[in-house]
Amino acid sequence: MADAADLPGASSSQKMSSKVLRQKAQEFLASRKHANNLVDIIVQWDESTSSCLLTIETMFVEVLRRGDMYLERTITLTISEPSPEARYINWLRNCYEEIWEKILLSIEKCRPAIQLQALTTAIKLMAEEGKNPLEPTGNLGYYFPLHRLKPILMSLLSPEKDNTSLIFRFQEIIEYPDALYYTWKCLPSLTPKRQPHEAYIKNLLELIHKLPLPKETPEFGMSEYKNLLCGSQQDTKPFVWDQAGARRALNKVWVCVMHWELTPQLHKQLLIVLLERVMSHLEKPVLLTDFLMDSMDADGPIGLLALQGVFVLVTKHNLEYPNIFTKLYSMFEPEIFHTKYKARLFYLSDLFLSSTHLPEALVAAFAKRLARLTLVAPPEDILIILLFVGNLLLRHPGLKRLIDHPQGGVVPTEESNGAGDPFLMEERDPLLSNALLSSLWEIKALQWHIIPSIASAARFIREPLPSVEYDMASALERTGGHLFDRELKSKVKDIMLTFERPDSMTLPKGERLLQYWQLTAMH
């Protein structure tokens, strides 16, 4: 079987081993008399294994490095037979193009492991071709093979399947500024204006989320671009990052994205990408106003993420949104404690309510609503709410009267289950909730909570308030796991299991079993 596979005309049914493939590759690279080995290897292309891929990668990286496919462009006035050297180069280049088609097909159709290897091979060949072009580049100096990058991106942005794992692998090249820049330059031509398939939208958003766009700084200089994917030390004109061009490309892509219809899952993914990657680079972020306003009407994480976008427009772009506090107030429902983005809500709400010029009745409504939610909140969230309410009392000293209910107010008892409290929990308008007529009896009740840390934190209500606000950002970093660990350490003591700590595989001194082992060993 091995001898048959070694024959130049071996059929695709006679599979070569990895060892034979490597041997044929070495022979091909060593002498042109073994040129047909390349044909034999291409015939052996198998979508189920990566051996052929790795062999082809090794061969053509070396071929590109040696310049064996380099062809000078010449103008001939007479028709003449091409030289043997030119025929060999053209044949080799045709094989190279055939290889690229097979690699791209493997990225699209093969099983995941082969897809990842095919993508890696494509990137390595593209990088080597950039350093060693197939044709003269004139006075351009630096050269990047865009005609190779674009098909790779088209394979990643599949309209048929989720390519998250491939995009994650592709993310490795963004540490090269030239690869990152030309990826952005390619994206507008790959982004359709008409509604694409759901898989395509997901892949595109995933790709944008993985592609950073460096912010322009005064020291933005050439020294940052020594580590290039396709650059070389001999380039007469080095690579130059065009910040304005990259931003224009991003804006062109996003204009198309904003016109697409989205499922709730894609809507959430788009908002995450918008907030974390895109918004700071948009030329006119105010144009997002209608989209974000509509998104805020959605329940759950979509409304929460849209709130963060509106906050950016309000604070950095002077957007006026008179109903923002009413919308923010309506988000504090028991369901919020079961969402992934609840920390964002607490953090943004603390920033929104940081002004000391807000109406006292508005702030009182938030303090009261938060206090009421402590009755159903998880322990770690109760601690955050207590800090939040403490900050509101510090900013608005007039709200201290909520600690002891005002004249005419009724303190509910445990048996009444909140009856008699004038506060209207179901009221959507915070100014009509009667919060100033109520008291923070919920926080007083927490002073007898079963978890000591919560009971201790709730006692702030009967002590003088601190002079500075609590740091919500650092408090939000703590999780329920921290709370559990702290309680566990306070309850559990170390139990001594042995008088002598073992320091090796041997038994401790004085161990009875050791005596019997010695006796057995002697016999």
Side-chain angles (χ1 to χ4, degrees):
M1 187 71 177
D3 294 334
D6 287 338
L7 296 175
S11 66
S12 60
S13 61
Q14 297 171 318
K15 300 301 178 185
M16 297 181 188
S17 65
S18 300
K19 181 179 179 180
V20 174
L21 287 172
R22 287 195 301 269
Q23 181 183 350
K24 282 186 168 288
Q26 291 170 0
E27 293 173 352
F28 170 82
L29 294 173
S31 174
R32 288 189 180 183
K33 69 179 183 180
H34 297 290
N36 285 336
N37 285 11
L38 176 59
V39 178
D40 297 339
I41 294 174
I42 293 176
V43 170
Q44 291 293 314
W45 194 283
D46 187 358
E47 296 181 352
S48 63
T49 62
S50 59
S51 300
C52 194
L53 261 174
L54 293 170
T55 305
I56 289 293
E57 177 188 314
T58 302
M59 293 172 65
F60 275 100
V61 165
E62 181 61 26
V63 167
L64 287 165
R65 190 172 294 148
R66 297 192 313 203
D68 289 353
M69 292 190 291
Y70 184 80
L71 185 64
E72 289 279 1
R73 289 181 178 177
T74 57
I75 300 177
T76 56
L77 299 178
T78 59
I79 299 175
S80 60
E81 186 73 18
S83 65
E85 178 70 16
R87 288 202 304 270
Y88 175 78
I89 292 176
N90 285 327
W91 171 80
L92 197 55
R93 291 175 66 158
N94 289 335
C95 292
Y96 184 56
E97 295 302 324
E98 182 182 353
I99 287 299
W100 265 102
E101 293 178 4
K102 290 181 175 293
I103 291 173
L104 294 172
L105 191 63
S106 296
I107 295 176
E108 296 174 4
K109 304 295 184 182
C110 292
R111 59 188 176 89
I114 304 299
Q115 285 181 309
L116 291 173
Q117 181 57 54
L119 177 60
T120 302
T121 298
I123 292 173
K124 287 184 179 180
L125 292 178
M126 179 180 67
E128 200 61 44
E129 188 175 337
K131 296 173 185 176
N132 303 282
L134 302 183
E135 295 177 354
T137 57
N139 297 323
L140 296 178
Y142 173 83
Y143 169 74
F144 192 97
L146 275 174
H147 66 292
R148 303 297 183 199
L149 177 61
K150 193 170 182 178
I152 294 175
L153 291 174
M154 290 174 64
S155 299
L156 295 180
L157 299 176
S158 170
E160 300 174 357
K161 60 181 180 178
D162 184 352
N163 278 337
T164 301
S165 59
L166 285 174
I167 292 171
F168 183 80
R169 173 64 62 86
F170 182 79
Q171 181 189 10
E172 295 176 4
I173 76 167
I174 67 172
E175 63 186 54
Y176 302 101
D178 55 340
L180 176 61
Y181 174 76
Y182 284 106
T183 299
W184 278 118
K185 293 290 287 184
C186 282
L187 281 183
S189 62
L190 300 176
T191 307
K193 294 182 179 180
R194 295 183 179 181
Q195 178 75 23
H197 291 83
E198 184 176 332
Y200 175 90
I201 300 175
K202 187 179 188 308
N203 290 328
L204 178 63
L205 292 176
E206 189 69 30
L207 180 61
I208 295 175
H209 196 213
K210 293 293 188 292
L211 298 178
L213 190 59
K215 294 183 179 179
E216 198 167 9
T217 57
E219 62 273 9
F220 218 63
M222 295 305 302
S223 60
E224 299 182 29
Y225 304 125
K226 294 179 180 178
N227 184 27
L228 298 176
L229 183 69
C230 296
S232 64
Q233 300 295 330
Q234 291 75 31
D235 289 341
T236 55
K237 292 183 179 181
F239 166 75
V240 177
W241 176 277
D242 181 7
Q243 180 73 5
R247 288 190 63 184
R248 282 195 300 271
L250 171 59
N251 279 268
K252 288 179 181 178
V253 171
W254 206 252
V255 165
C256 296
V257 172
M258 295 304 296
H259 289 91
W260 296 340
E261 295 181 3
L262 304 170
T263 63
Q265 186 65 29
L266 289 176
H267 196 163
K268 183 177 73 172
Q269 185 181 1
L270 182 143
L271 285 168
I272 294 173
V273 175
L274 173 65
L275 295 170
E276 297 182 0
R277 290 294 191 202
V278 176
M279 198 166 184
S280 60
H281 299 290
L282 292 180
E283 295 174 355
K284 297 179 180 179
V286 180
L287 297 179
L288 297 170
T289 302
D290 292 340
F291 171 75
L292 292 174
M293 296 299 187
D294 294 339
S295 299
M296 283 186 67
D297 294 332
D299 296 328
I302 293 178
L304 251 176
L305 293 167
L307 173 67
Q308 184 176 345
V310 171
F311 176 77
V312 173
L313 294 181
V314 169
T315 55
K316 295 186 177 181
H317 301 281
N318 301 320
L319 175 69
E320 294 185 3
Y321 186 16
N323 297 324
I324 186 65
F325 291 104
T326 302
K327 183 61 183 176
L328 181 63
Y329 184 78
S330 67
M331 289 186 176
F332 283 101
E333 297 285 350
E335 292 78 13
I336 194 62
F337 300 118
H338 306 291
T339 63
K340 182 180 178 181
Y341 304 100
K342 61 183 177 183
R344 295 191 190 212
L345 177 62
F346 286 121
Y347 179 73
L348 291 172
S349 300
D350 187 55
L351 293 177
F352 269 115
L353 297 171
S354 60
S355 174
T356 57
H357 300 287
L358 294 174
E360 200 170 71
L362 176 69
V363 182
F366 276 92
K368 180 62 182 176
R369 191 174 188 86
L370 287 165
R372 182 62 61 86
L373 288 177
T374 60
L375 302 179
V376 295
E380 66 271 17
D381 294 326
I382 294 176
L383 292 173
I384 298 298
I385 291 175
L386 291 175
L387 296 180
F388 197 171
V389 173
N391 283 349
L392 296 180
L393 296 179
L394 282 172
R395 296 166 191 163
H396 302 270
L399 296 183
K400 292 179 182 179
R401 57 179 171 161
L402 295 178
I403 296 176
D404 296 314
H405 68 283
Q407 186 177 3
V410 179
V411 180
T413 62
E414 185 176 353
E415 292 76 14
S416 65
N417 196 25
D421 190 339
F423 175 69
L424 303 176
M425 185 68 176
E426 304 303 323
E427 175 59 51
R428 311 306 294 175
D429 188 345
L431 296 177
L432 301 178
S433 63
N434 294 337
L436 286 174
L437 301 178
S438 184
S439 67
L440 298 176
W441 59 267
E442 298 91 345
I443 295 181
K444 284 189 173 183
L446 290 176
Q447 296 177 76
W448 291 274
H449 198 278
I450 191 172
I451 298 179
S453 58
I454 294 178
S456 177
R459 293 191 186 105
F460 83 90
I461 204 166
R462 69 184 187 188
E463 299 172 356
L465 293 174
S467 56
V468 295
E469 294 183 10
Y470 301 103
D471 186 359
M472 288 290 292
S474 60
L476 287 169
E477 292 178 358
R478 306 189 191 104
T479 62
H482 291 81
L483 182 68
F484 178 79
D485 292 339
R486 188 167 59 251
E487 291 300 321
L488 192 63
K489 289 179 181 179
S490 65
K491 298 288 185 184
V492 179
K493 297 181 179 179
D494 291 335
I495 301 174
M496 186 176 294
L497 299 178
T498 181
F499 291 99
E500 186 176 342
R501 182 184 297 274
D503 55 2
S504 66
M505 293 297 294
T506 60
L507 294 170
K509 295 178 181 179
E511 180 64 41
R512 295 288 296 273
L513 183 60
L514 187 59
Q515 301 174 7
Y516 298 105
W517 172 254
Q518 290 175 341
L519 290 173
T520 306
M522 290 176 63
H523 288 287

